Amino acid sequence: MNISKRPRRLRSGSLLRKMVRETRVDVSSLVYPLFVVEGEGKKEEIGAMPGQYRYCVDRLSEVLEELQQAGVSAVMFFGIPDHKDEVGSGAYDPDGIVQRALRYTKEHYPDIYRIADLCMCEYTSHGHCGILCGENVDNDKTLEYLERIAVSQAQAGADMVAPSDMMDGRVAAIRAALDQNGFTQTPIMAYSAKFASSFYGPFREAAGSAPAFGDRKSYQMDYHNRLEALKEVQADIEEGADIVMVKPALAYGDLIREVRNMVQVPVAAYSVSGEYAMVKMAAAAGAVDQENIMCEMAASAYRAGADIYITYFAKELARCMKDGKIG
Ligand code: PBG
């Protein structure tokens, strides 16, 4: 046979396959989302996310040790307060749950990089990501609160803040507030292209943050849209975002790629709770192999252009990276 191109030549053995691999990954790109709750001595498993827990601050060391042993050095904190109110005051309380987790981690695990998710939905009695005016989330009123939350997180020791509310103008507002308070060096990772997604279902159980009425479609994006995602990303960069995010990751590889091609800042992809739950449940039912599918999903996000990968599988992935199962 006279075949001029034989792509199989480069697939003949594992050493060669690794040599010509196009996507390389590194543990330093992993971020682990971490839920913290009030109280003492608690480590509660999240029903819809087997293997994920809500930790009290006094038990945080357990998971922080595990992460360090696996080689994961960045966490993103989500707080679950006991007290919720109309304005989400627990989010900017200097002694709030995330603020205490940040202070504890900074003091005892200074080598862990601390990112604070910046939103109100876990702290509001109505479960929306902002201040209500009737049944509508008031954009500009919410900005004032986001500014307070950002400053209080930075004061408590956040290395980076990550606004996930999807209000217009929040990056500029947060940047100005951080700068005015002396936090000019605190980067903002903006959840820029964040879609109104059913993939967040398990998270809302974990954080008790499902909206009490309506949905988030007036602020999170319609998943049919691509140009709008690019518009959001561009706006956030103009307002001063240091890193932009596409969320979820699994069904949005096209946008991770488009954003990567368009911008000059690092791009993060968030593999969300529903992605994790689907893998766990399907693996438990014997339908798929958990480790293989986790690696394949991660590689697809990196191949699409993600520089940072936020995942509930961070520990397991770090091990696979070390063993050479991925990248
Ligand atoms: C808060 C927030 C959510 C997630 C991250 N930040 C929930 C939501 O927007 O409803 C989802 C994360 C996940 O599903 O893993 N606004």
Side-chain angles (χ1 to χ4, degrees):
M1 266 308 264
N2 183 12
I3 298 174
S4 65
K5 293 204 170 131
R6 289 188 181 271
R8 289 186 58 194
R9 254 186 229 128
L10 295 183
R11 294 182 209 135
S12 60
S14 73
L15 289 177
L16 180 57
R17 282 197 295 272
K18 278 192 186 162
M19 188 190 295
V20 300
R21 198 167 254 180
E22 297 177 44
T23 304
R24 307 276 180 190
V25 299
D26 192 277
V27 285
S28 56
S29 63
L30 292 172
V31 177
Y32 183 67
L34 189 45
F35 298 98
V36 275
V37 278
E38 313 259 13
E40 277 170 29
K42 280 188 276 180
K43 176 186 172 185
E44 308 164 344
E45 189 163 27
I46 299 159
M49 302 175 74
Q52 301 299 317
Y53 301 85
R54 302 182 196 91
Y55 294 89
C56 280
V57 174
D58 64 3
R59 292 193 66 174
L60 264 184
S61 63
E62 295 172 32
V63 61
L64 296 175
E65 299 276 345
E66 285 167 16
L67 288 165
Q68 282 194 320
Q69 267 158 30
V72 178
S73 50
V75 296
M76 181 148 74
F77 284 109
F78 291 92
I80 305 156
D82 278 346
H83 166 78
K84 302 190 189 221
D85 58 31
E86 280 282 301
V87 296
S89 62
Y92 53 86
D93 179 349
D95 206 28
I97 182 63
V98 156
Q99 286 78 0
R100 282 193 285 123
L102 287 165
R103 273 198 297 273
Y104 173 85
T105 309
K106 181 171 182 169
E107 186 180 345
H108 299 280
Y109 295 88
D111 295 337
I112 293 213
Y113 193 82
R114 302 168 301 276
I115 306 171
D117 177 82
L118 201 174
C119 195
M120 301 183 64
C121 61
E122 299 106 272
Y123 303 88
T124 50
S125 43
H126 44 76
H128 278 286
C129 302
I131 303 298
L132 289 184
C133 177
E135 296 223 328
N136 195 25
V137 174
D138 184 329
N139 191 89
D140 297 11
K141 189 92 202 134
T142 301
L143 296 184
E144 297 164 28
Y145 286 83
L146 296 176
E147 292 168 18
R148 288 166 79 166
I149 301 169
V151 171
S152 119
Q153 291 176 335
Q155 282 167 341
D159 292 307
M160 180 188 285
V161 296
S164 64
D165 51 282
M166 288 299 280
M167 296 303 123
D168 294 335
R170 80 263 165 85
V171 174
I174 291 167
R175 182 73 273 155
L178 287 173
D179 289 355
Q180 275 155 26
N181 285 275
F183 297 106
T184 56
Q185 297 305 306
T186 304
I188 298 175
M189 174 164 68
Y191 286 67
S192 301
K194 176 174 178 179
F195 289 85
S197 170
S198 294
F199 281 101
Y200 309 150
F203 174 96
R204 293 183 190 167
E205 184 211 304
S209 65
F213 63 88
D215 54 37
R216 303 210 200 289
K217 289 182 181 164
S218 78
Y219 39 102
Q220 299 180 353
M221 285 177 39
D222 178 349
Y223 59 67
H224 298 80
N225 296 352
R226 144 180 178 264
L227 294 175
E228 191 187 8
L230 302 182
K231 180 172 80 177
E232 283 280 6
V233 165
Q234 227 152 21
D236 282 357
I237 291 176
E238 277 159 26
E239 289 178 32
D242 300 281
I243 299 173
V244 293
M245 190 198 297
V246 176
K247 176 186 175 203
L250 184 58
Y252 296 80
D254 57 332
L255 292 173
I256 300 173
R257 169 49 58 195
E258 283 211 69
V259 169
R260 180 59 290 164
N261 288 349
M262 182 179 81
V263 305
Q264 285 84 43
V265 300
V267 175
Y270 192 154
S271 178
V272 299
S273 56
E275 301 178 39
Y276 175 86
M278 291 196 311
V279 172
K280 284 302 244 196
M281 310 281 171
V288 298
D289 180 89
Q290 178 177 307
E291 193 172 274
N292 289 342
I293 217 157
M294 165 189 94
C295 289
E296 193 172 330
M297 278 165 57
S300 84
Y302 288 110
R303 191 185 64 233
D307 304 292
I308 298 166
Y309 190 51
I310 304 163
T311 172
Y312 300 95
F313 279 124
K315 257 183 292 172
E316 293 82 352
L317 261 177
R319 295 221 172 78
C320 289
M321 289 179 181
K322 272 191 196 152
D323 299 346
K325 289 205 177 107
I326 173 173

